[in-house]
Amino acid sequence: TLTQLAETRDHESEGHMNRVGFFSAMIARQMNLDEKFCQDLEIFAPMHDIGKVGIPDGILHVPRELCREEFQVIKMHTQIGWQILKDKQTFEFAANIAYTHHEHWDGTGYPRHLKGENIPLAGRICAVADCYDSLRSVRSYRNKASHDQVMNWIKLSSGTLFDPNVVTATCAIESQLKELFDRTYTIDVE
């Protein structure tokens, strides 16, 4: 229900949140992580953008690239999501994902500039899954990228934006990611 609520606010990304959950779990399984962790990722990674419910429509739905000030507001979705989900025992896993899915391996991400393994593993995995789906999807301000373009960018970002181990696992299952995306993506914004 929370995921559906967030997706109603961001109509360009129908299915995005659920795909991020599926992709995150697929990556985690490739990394041979505990099955409970993988299942939790599939359930809770779709809530990574729940904080967008607190972003004004005038910024969330701008049909162009955001200016610096607007981007600062969009970045607040990580903290808003964390505020919504934290201190609720059932949603602690989701709260950490919402808070950390835009942190970068090299410390240049947001909101807290966490670095390396200081970023919770669920956030590091969700970051790659979110990137893959976002870049493959059309937005009102840009065209979608091909699978090969996105995978090349993810590989180039290994060790800077993304955890190298997560990138390695993603590369190992890239054909499955492509197949699931191609089968489930249906929205093209003109």
Side-chain angles (χ1 to χ4, degrees):
T1 301
L2 288 173
T3 300
Q4 289 174 336
L5 170 66
E7 279 202 335
T8 63
R9 295 290 326 275
D10 193 0
H11 54 79
E12 290 184 341
S13 60
E14 185 174 320
H16 166 72
M17 292 184 178
N18 285 327
R19 279 192 304 273
V20 169
F22 295 139
F23 294 159
S24 294
M26 291 166 68
I27 294 166
R29 286 186 179 102
Q30 180 62 33
M31 295 175 73
N32 294 313
L33 298 174
D34 177 77
E35 184 56 28
K36 170 83 166 85
F37 181 86
C38 297
Q39 290 172 2
D40 284 350
L41 264 176
E42 189 166 335
I43 293 167
F44 295 116
M47 296 181 198
H48 69 283
D49 278 343
I50 192 70
K52 286 186 176 179
V53 300
I55 303 299
D57 284 346
I59 293 176
L60 191 60
H61 300 295
V62 170
R64 57 169 168 70
E65 287 197 41
L66 300 174
C67 70
R68 186 175 187 192
E69 293 78 18
E70 291 165 335
F71 186 60
Q72 292 303 314
V73 173
I74 283 287
K75 286 167 54 172
M76 292 174 56
H77 82 277
T78 57
Q79 294 161 294
I80 294 168
W82 180 71
Q83 288 289 332
I84 290 168
L85 298 166
K86 74 177 181 119
D87 299 329
K88 295 165 186 75
Q89 187 174 12
T90 307
F91 292 108
E92 288 177 6
F93 195 90
N96 277 329
I97 292 171
Y99 207 18
T100 62
H101 73 283
H102 284 293
E103 297 288 358
H104 295 162
W105 185 253
D106 64 3
T108 62
Y110 64 88
R112 296 179 291 162
H113 306 287
L114 299 179
K115 184 175 183 177
E117 293 186 2
N118 289 324
I119 306 165
L121 181 57
R124 287 183 266 150
I125 292 171
C126 185
V128 175
D130 182 36
C131 172
Y132 179 84
D133 194 79
S134 294
L135 292 177
R136 293 275 337 261
S137 302
V138 171
R139 295 293 187 255
S140 60
Y141 54 89
R142 65 160 170 77
N143 291 322
K144 65 182 177 178
S146 71
H147 168 79
D148 290 339
Q149 289 170 323
V150 173
M151 288 306 303
N152 285 336
W153 192 81
I154 288 172
K155 290 172 192 173
L156 288 172
S157 300
S158 178
T160 54
L161 302 183
F162 304 124
D163 177 340
N165 292 323
V166 176
V167 172
T168 298
T170 304
C171 291
I173 60 165
E174 70 173 280
S175 62
Q176 293 119 303
L177 296 177
K178 180 183 185 310
E179 188 278 326
L180 179 58
F181 181 88
D182 290 345
R183 184 169 36 88
T184 59
Y185 181 76
T186 58
I187 300 293
D188 277 351
V189 177
E190 297 293 326

